[in-house]
Amino acid sequence: MTAYIFLLLALFAGACKGWCGKKTSFLMEKPTDAAAFNGLRMFLCIIIGIGFVFLEGHAAGLLLDGTMFAICLLSGISNAMFVVIWLFAVRKNAYMMVEVALMLGCLIPTFGTALLFGEEIRAAQIIGFVLLTAAVVLLTGYNKQITGKKTFGDILLLILAGTAEGLCGFAQQLYKHISLPAHPEYSSAVYNFYTYVFAFLCLMLVLLVFRMKDADKGAEQENFGRKIRSVFVLIAVMALCLFCNSYFQTLATAVYGMSSQVLYPFMKGGSLILSTAMSAVFFGEKITARSVCGVTVAFLGLIFINVLSF
């Protein structure tokens, strides 16, 4: 029960993050904008993260061994990829369709941990996955109705966003099964703190490469500064929600033992249902019979994955 409470908190944080992200995505005109924008978010997450580390009393866990370093590096790179790609994906596609792509990405940690660590996949969960896939098919048509015909680039953004999200979850499971049992001092706060440290460094490296190619650096930086000042409050809220979303998920799986076969489908299916309401209320994405059917099928998939046990 405690694990589900943390997942509900993570869902709420994720929904708030998504709303802020959609509201600010129009500012992302170029990859440099996305890298700088998200670099600031990651820097704020680092500050929040170190506060959580000391609140938990796990400062000793800041000294990493090689295995934990590699896992956090994978998590950081995946998160850096995800936050940049997501901003462009949500500009080109219906908000709900992006959530569907992320839901499919949960197959990476789900089946990855089943293969590597022997987590059981039951028949009910397989049926649930099939239903979630059916929901994807239904909502793909809805995405076309809302935003028009999709280009290869639009579809590629969805695939990359789902893959990056899946790798984030896979790194989380590696932490749960490998590093945490051997080193209890590597708390959830420590793991998430280093995730955002490495994500920040990756984004700064990307930004440096782009800026070196940009001849008009001064004007570019002044323009970006104006953009940031106009939405800084939203960026700060996004950073807090981003950290809390990841932190609560990590607690649910690493501390309270929720399996990846339940955690990720629950999070993505729940996020899809919340996104349906949010996209209609805040972003004017009309609810159609197809979208209602898609969300209903996704909800049934969650029932099979989380409630049924055959």
Side-chain angles (χ1 to χ4, degrees):
M1 180 58 71
T2 303
Y4 279 102
I5 292 174
F6 281 119
L7 289 191
L8 290 174
L9 291 173
L11 277 173
F12 176 76
C16 291
K17 173 176 66 71
W19 182 84
C20 293
K22 182 72 172 180
K23 295 289 286 185
T24 57
S25 65
F26 72 95
L27 296 174
M28 303 302 108
E29 298 174 0
K30 297 186 296 185
T32 50
D33 293 331
F37 177 87
N38 284 292
L40 177 58
R41 284 174 61 193
M42 296 303 167
F43 180 74
L44 294 174
C45 283
I46 291 171
I47 297 173
I48 295 167
I50 196 64
F52 270 75
V53 169
F54 283 102
L55 282 174
E56 286 187 347
H58 286 109
L62 293 172
L63 297 175
L64 305 184
D65 64 7
T67 301
M68 182 65 169
F69 181 92
I71 292 172
C72 290
L73 180 61
L74 172 62
S75 180
I77 293 172
S78 302
N79 273 275
M81 288 173 52
F82 171 70
V83 293
V84 172
I85 294 168
W86 184 90
L87 281 171
F88 288 104
V90 83
R91 285 185 65 187
K92 299 291 186 179
N93 298 275
Y95 186 87
M96 283 176 60
M97 191 60 210
V98 178
E99 290 299 315
V100 169
L102 303 187
M103 186 169 64
L104 282 181
C106 78
L107 298 178
I108 295 175
T110 297
F111 287 101
T113 51
L115 292 172
L116 291 177
F117 305 113
E119 287 190 357
E120 180 186 5
I121 299 180
R122 302 188 305 272
Q125 292 172 334
I126 294 174
I127 295 172
F129 286 131
V130 172
L131 289 172
L132 290 178
T133 304
V136 170
V137 174
L138 288 168
L139 289 168
T140 299
Y142 168 79
N143 188 41
K144 186 176 179 179
Q145 291 175 0
I146 294 295
T147 59
K149 186 177 180 180
K150 296 291 99 184
T151 66
F152 173 77
D154 297 337
I155 296 171
L156 181 62
L157 284 172
L158 292 172
I159 294 172
L160 291 175
T163 301
E165 171 83 343
L167 289 174
C168 293
F170 184 64
Q172 196 175 59
Q173 290 302 309
L174 292 177
Y175 157 73
K176 169 187 175 180
H177 288 280
I178 297 175
S179 286
L180 185 60
H183 296 278
E185 70 274 16
Y186 294 159
S187 67
S188 299
V190 170
Y191 169 75
N192 284 282
F193 166 72
Y194 276 112
T195 288
Y196 294 116
V197 167
F198 289 127
F200 173 76
L201 293 176
C202 288
L203 289 169
M204 290 302 97
L205 179 61
V206 170
L207 184 61
L208 177 63
V209 171
F210 280 124
R211 287 279 167 83
M212 288 174 64
K213 296 180 180 180
D214 192 347
D216 195 9
K217 300 182 182 67
E220 180 75 19
Q221 291 174 357
E222 183 179 349
N223 183 43
F224 178 73
R226 287 196 298 269
K227 292 179 180 179
I228 288 296
R229 286 191 292 273
S230 67
V231 293
F232 182 78
V233 173
L234 289 177
I235 294 173
V237 173
M238 286 177 72
L240 177 61
C241 291
L242 178 64
F243 185 89
C244 288
N245 177 264
S246 176
Y247 178 73
F248 290 138
Q249 285 189 61
T250 306
L251 282 178
T253 187
V255 177
Y256 292 97
M258 179 170 282
S259 73
S260 61
Q261 286 76 27
V262 173
L263 171 68
Y264 300 107
F266 178 90
M267 286 298 301
K268 300 313 170 192
S271 180
L272 178 62
I273 293 169
L274 285 177
S275 297
T276 303
M278 187 167 66
S279 62
V281 173
F282 296 110
F283 305 133
E285 295 181 4
K286 184 179 179 181
I287 295 179
T288 66
R290 181 184 286 269
S291 67
V292 171
C293 288
V295 172
T296 301
V297 172
F299 180 76
L300 290 175
L302 289 180
I303 296 294
F304 274 89
I305 290 170
N306 291 279
V307 178
L308 304 179
S309 59
F310 58 86

